[in-house]
Amino acid sequence: MEQNGRAENAVVVRNLVKVYGKEKTAVDHVSFSVKPGEIFGLIGPDGAGKTSIFRVLTTLLLPDGGSATVDGLDVVKDYKQIRNRVGYMPGKFSLYQDLSVEENLNFFATVFDTTVEANYHLIKEIYDQLEPFKKRRAGKLSGGMKQKLALCCALIHKPVVLFLDEPTTGVDPVSRKEFWEMLKQLKTQNITIVVSTPYMDEANMCDEIALIQSGRLLSVDTPGNIVKSYPEQLYAVKADNMHKLLKLLRSYDKVMNSYAFGEFAHVSFKDPQVNISEVTDYLKQEGLADIELRTTAVTIEDSFIKLL
Amino acid sequence: MRTIKFLLQKEFRQIFRNRAIVAMVIAMPVIQLIILPLAANYEVKNVNVAVIDKDHSSYSQKLINKIIASGYFKLTGYDFSFKQAYRLIESDAADLILEIPQGFERNLIRENEQKLFVAVNAINGTKANLGSAYLLTVIQDFNRDVRLQFIQPGNFNQQPTIDVASSNWYNPLLDYHMYMVPGILAILVTMIGGFLTALNIVKEKEVGTIEQINVTPIKKYHFILGKLIPFWILGNVVFTLGLLVARLVYGIIPVGSLFLMYGFIAVYLLAVLGLGLLISTFCETQQQAMFVMFFFVMIFVLMGGLFTSIDSMPDWAKTVTKFNPVSYLIEVMRMIMLKGSSLKNILPQLGIIAVFALVLNSLAIFNYKKTS
């Protein structure tokens, strides 16, 4: 691919709107851009509009407003060229279950008018793990293997931009970790990757993320900046009775925000110079024991909750 | 071309891996063609007849014997009153009542005239119609015998009579198999072609593979041809198997040109596959496609002239059959197979089917969208 002919941004989305039916707005004036060669994460819960954005960008869905370009090409006008340049891996496994691993890969290579050999270097690392099963029908593979095969098929034509819609949903934690390692590998091949996920912990693996909720973008930045921009100091609290603790925190007038977070409760206070021991005393007074209160690092999930 | 080649390769792999489809394509024409024509028999045999003989003469005996000896009737009651015989009709033991009045023999000889009474249970229309027609034939025959006996040879030709001699062309023995087999084969070809195409594409929608295909640069017509060609070939396989069964099991050897039949089927399959394709573009699940297809196939079969002749339908129904591709195929199959019609004879039907193929496929291609 000629480097100078390449668009400045791999993906540009401007005021994108998608409305289903009459009133169900799935995507509500969304704008963001993805730089070439980065991993861009679209992070949000189910039903936030992630898949709709993906389908618009992969030319499967026509937008109702705004515009979008992929590799400098308009998704409506230049959809034919885009189809040659993007790889798409839908959230649901959608390869031919009755064809073998090898046949699926060959098929997708040929429909893009290329061969497996030509771009083998792209998928080698991933395909090596699939090699022992290459004669097996795709439908008979395990979940993790299916996902690897789907990634291979989406990559086989050396796409400029790779769209992965919730690739790790329903995948075990070990495979998830492996999968992200694979994505990092691909990044070195200069492939732009747009990935969506409902898992906040995966956000840190991305170069840039967009937090999305109910079709609206809450924030677009690097994970580091998003965390950094959290305005208050965050504390983690633990006590013997978590239920009571949460109730107390919620009614405590010094508290700005509080919510359960794993085995802790995360709290921020209205007064930045709050006296910790004062808070602990108050909780003890209310009958809680084994109180542990300390500062904690902000995570993407905290930022997401804050932005809601 | 390369793309189509690979699409076809993929399609055939999938078809041959799906045992149910292979079994259906091979077993369905063979089994159905062996069973259905035997079952769908219009010849009425074993008409149950109850006789009320009030005469008990040698003539009445002769008539009854003649009726039973004809082979179409079974004597299930021999009664003395209509009431008794009517009970047999009510309990479904008899389909016909023949009443021979008292003095049958005497009046016939003396007055050269006698009346018989026939009552028919018309719940089963076909049986009633044919049964009473057979019975009347037998009685007329009996009548002629009686006349021969009594009228002197010299006076024989006093009355001018018209004797109609009919001969059945193209199917001299009025063999129902000759008539049913081409019709059933036509329906089989329609069903296999239509259902397989519709279900196949909708399955790709259901599984989600069509999404994957849609993001590729595959052209619309590539995809559609990739779907049409395999099922077109399968349709021809079914047709060939059907012809073999017709020949081996029923001894039906097409009178007309085989080449012409395949030519017509080739165009016809395009029309049916187009219908399947069109349905698949409207349906999201295989269940929907199945029901919509059934809706059409039911109408096609029942209004196709297989079981009931189109000529006997009311005018509005005749108009409907004009939009039924199956009716043309059944007609043409019978024409070529039994009558040996040539291209010139079937040209109108061929033209209409070609229009069907063109319209249905155009609509399907128009309605198939890679982007929603």
Side-chain angles (χ1 to χ4, degrees):
Chain A
M1 205 56 40
E2 60 284 339
Q3 212 58 26
N4 47 355
R6 204 157 164 180
E8 199 178 316
N9 281 315
V11 178
V12 179
V13 176
R14 269 190 223 99
N15 281 320
L16 193 71
V17 178
K18 180 69 205 177
V19 184
Y20 291 112
K22 279 227 166 89
E23 44 245 38
K24 173 103 185 46
T25 308
V27 181
D28 192 0
H29 295 92
V30 164
S31 304
F32 62 86
S33 54
V34 181
K35 289 178 204 75
E38 72 172 2
I39 300 181
F40 186 91
L42 213 52
I43 320 278
D46 292 342
K50 301 187 298 284
T51 301
S52 296
I53 295 175
F54 270 75
R55 287 170 56 89
V56 169
L57 292 176
T58 50
T59 75
L60 288 171
L61 200 62
L62 290 171
D64 293 320
S67 65
T69 62
V70 175
D71 198 29
L73 300 161
D74 188 86
V75 289
V76 180
K77 255 193 357 250
D78 310 315
Y79 68 96
K80 277 187 182 151
Q81 283 122 290
I82 289 181
R83 285 176 184 166
N84 269 314
R85 299 192 193 184
V86 300
Y88 176 45
M89 183 175 150
K92 190 177 145 204
F93 179 73
S94 51
L95 299 177
Y96 291 101
Q97 314 244 4
D98 42 3
L99 295 183
S100 72
V101 169
E102 223 179 0
E103 287 162 352
N104 264 304
L105 196 56
N106 273 319
F107 175 72
F108 282 101
T110 45
V111 296
F112 281 102
D113 210 18
T114 176
T115 56
V116 175
E117 292 73 37
N119 293 314
Y120 190 70
H121 62 281
L122 275 178
I123 58 161
K124 192 182 174 303
E125 305 245 332
I126 312 162
Y127 194 66
D128 278 349
Q129 302 169 52
L130 283 168
E131 190 87 43
F133 311 106
K134 66 179 183 184
K135 296 277 177 217
R136 195 180 285 187
R137 306 258 167 100
K140 297 239 156 57
L141 291 173
S142 68
M145 286 291 172
K146 274 183 182 166
Q147 178 212 34
K148 279 171 194 147
L149 175 60
L151 184 60
C152 285
C153 288
L155 274 172
I156 196 62
H157 59 289
K158 197 176 193 310
V160 181
V161 186
L162 185 61
F163 291 97
L164 308 169
D165 192 7
E166 300 202 8
T168 54
T169 301
V171 174
D172 67 88
V174 178
S175 298
R176 264 170 66 185
K177 203 159 174 294
E178 267 179 33
F179 193 80
W180 280 96
E181 290 305 318
M182 288 189 276
L183 295 191
K184 288 207 168 134
Q185 280 291 319
L186 288 174
K187 213 186 120 180
T188 61
Q189 304 271 6
N190 214 6
I191 292 175
T192 311
I193 299 169
V194 181
V195 58
S196 76
T197 176
Y199 304 119
M200 303 289 166
D201 55 321
E202 290 181 343
N204 291 316
M205 312 279 202
C206 304
D207 297 316
E208 207 175 341
I209 54 171
L211 299 177
I212 184 168
Q213 159 77 8
S214 310
R216 285 166 196 271
L217 284 193
L218 304 173
S219 171
V220 187
D221 211 331
T222 62
N225 283 342
I226 285 186
V227 167
K228 241 184 269 165
S229 64
Y230 197 86
E232 293 89 22
Q233 172 62 48
L234 199 65
Y235 295 87
V237 210
K238 204 168 124 179
D240 57 346
N241 186 342
M242 283 306 281
H243 183 68
K244 193 169 174 196
L245 172 68
L246 284 168
K247 255 172 84 176
L248 277 174
L249 288 172
R250 225 164 274 156
S251 55
Y252 193 29
D253 59 354
K254 284 191 163 63
V255 169
M256 181 181 227
N257 239 328
S258 72
Y259 44 87
F261 195 94
E263 54 174 337
F264 287 90
H266 278 186
V267 206
S268 57
F269 298 99
K270 286 172 188 158
D271 177 10
Q273 262 77 48
V274 71
N275 190 343
I276 299 302
S277 51
E278 201 178 297
V279 179
T280 321
D281 286 345
Y282 167 76
L283 293 175
K284 265 186 195 150
Q285 215 179 317
E286 292 291 328
L288 287 169
D290 304 329
I291 296 165
E292 195 186 326
L293 179 63
R294 54 177 173 79
T295 60
T296 187
V298 177
T299 67
I300 298 289
E301 193 166 342
D302 293 305
S303 304
F304 190 86
I305 293 169
K306 177 82 186 170
L307 289 165
L308 281 181
Chain B
M1 264 338 272
R2 211 174 86 98
T3 313
I4 289 187
K5 196 187 120 203
F6 280 100
L7 279 172
L8 290 181
Q9 191 186 29
K10 168 216 136 212
E11 212 61 58
F12 274 114
R13 269 197 187 124
Q14 288 185 299
I15 290 168
F16 286 119
R17 277 177 200 173
N18 193 336
R19 295 230 179 89
I21 290 189
V22 178
M24 208 161 87
V25 167
I26 294 172
M28 199 162 129
V30 174
I31 295 175
Q32 297 206 350
L33 268 178
I34 289 177
I35 294 173
L36 291 182
L38 291 178
N41 192 335
Y42 279 103
E43 278 177 65
V44 174
K45 277 182 187 153
N46 303 327
V47 178
N48 297 320
V49 62
V51 175
I52 310 159
D53 188 357
K54 289 183 176 160
D55 196 39
H56 293 290
S57 60
S58 63
Y59 266 55
S60 72
Q61 277 304 319
K62 236 186 235 170
L63 176 61
I64 293 167
N65 279 339
K66 202 172 168 71
I67 289 167
I68 296 163
S70 70
Y72 293 110
F73 299 98
K74 220 165 79 189
L75 189 68
T76 50
Y78 189 76
D79 301 297
F80 301 100
S81 72
F82 189 76
K83 231 182 188 171
Q84 274 176 311
Y86 190 70
R87 217 165 279 144
L88 287 175
I89 286 219
E90 278 185 325
S91 64
D92 237 8
D95 303 308
L96 286 175
I97 300 177
L98 171 70
E99 190 175 342
I100 301 170
Q102 209 176 355
F104 173 70
E105 185 179 278
R106 193 187 57 217
N107 291 342
L108 196 62
I109 296 170
R110 266 198 213 150
E111 319 199 355
N112 275 333
E113 194 186 317
Q114 183 48 283
K115 285 191 168 102
L116 287 170
F117 173 71
V118 176
V120 185
N121 174 10
I123 285 183
N124 182 341
T126 321
K127 209 171 181 182
N129 258 331
L130 289 172
S132 65
Y134 289 158
L135 191 62
L136 291 182
T137 319
V138 175
I139 293 169
Q140 269 167 18
D141 213 31
F142 177 75
N143 195 6
R144 203 175 306 144
D145 287 352
V146 173
R147 281 179 51 156
L148 269 174
Q149 259 183 312
F150 287 96
I151 299 162
Q152 269 85 45
N155 300 338
F156 195 63
N157 269 340
Q158 269 182 340
Q159 270 176 304
T161 54
I162 297 175
D163 193 16
V164 179
S166 64
S167 112
N168 301 308
W169 278 54
Y170 310 124
N171 187 2
L173 298 174
L174 279 181
D175 182 356
Y176 268 99
H177 303 145
M178 297 276 278
Y179 180 74
M180 291 302 284
V181 170
I184 290 173
L185 184 53
I187 284 172
L188 280 174
V189 169
T190 311
M191 294 235 305
I192 297 239
F195 270 105
L196 287 185
T197 323
L199 291 184
N200 182 285
I201 297 173
V202 175
K203 186 182 163 200
E204 292 227 14
K205 277 192 189 176
E206 246 180 27
V207 180
T209 44
I210 208 160
E211 290 269 271
Q212 283 286 9
I213 294 289
N214 285 350
V215 292
T216 68
I218 288 184
K219 302 222 164 43
K220 229 180 187 180
Y221 76 91
H222 281 155
F223 181 77
I224 287 180
L225 278 180
K227 289 290 175 197
L228 284 187
I229 295 171
F231 295 111
W232 185 87
I233 293 174
L234 282 188
N236 275 299
V237 169
V238 169
F239 182 63
T240 309
L241 278 172
L243 285 183
L244 282 176
V245 172
R247 187 177 194 133
L248 297 177
V249 179
Y250 299 102
I252 301 175
I253 298 166
V255 184
S257 134
L258 264 181
F259 181 72
L260 188 61
M261 275 205 296
Y262 275 100
F264 190 83
I265 281 286
V267 181
Y268 178 79
L269 275 172
L270 284 183
V272 173
L273 299 185
L275 177 72
L277 206 62
L278 183 62
I279 288 174
S280 76
T281 60
F282 284 110
C283 297
E284 291 305 317
T285 66
Q286 296 192 60
Q287 220 172 26
Q288 287 172 6
M290 195 86 175
F291 275 113
V292 177
M293 201 66 208
F294 256 121
F295 170 79
F296 284 107
V297 166
M298 281 293 277
I299 294 176
F300 287 171
V301 170
L302 292 178
M303 300 194 75
L306 175 66
F307 298 111
T308 40
S309 167
I310 291 174
D311 296 322
S312 62
M313 289 179 188
D315 284 339
W316 64 265
K318 276 186 198 164
T319 315
V320 174
T321 62
K322 288 210 170 72
F323 296 96
N324 179 357
V326 177
S327 71
Y328 296 99
L329 180 63
I330 292 179
E331 196 184 345
V332 168
M333 290 269 273
R334 284 176 180 160
M335 280 167 80
I336 303 178
M337 277 179 96
L338 308 181
K339 206 169 158 186
S341 300
S342 65
L343 177 64
K344 215 175 88 189
N345 304 116
I346 65 156
L347 214 51
Q349 286 90 341
L350 189 64
I352 291 168
I353 289 297
V355 172
F356 265 111
L358 201 70
V359 170
L360 287 169
N361 282 298
S362 310
L363 282 176
I365 293 173
F366 176 76
N367 204 40
Y368 168 68
K369 288 188 183 75
K370 284 180 80 173
T371 308
S372 53

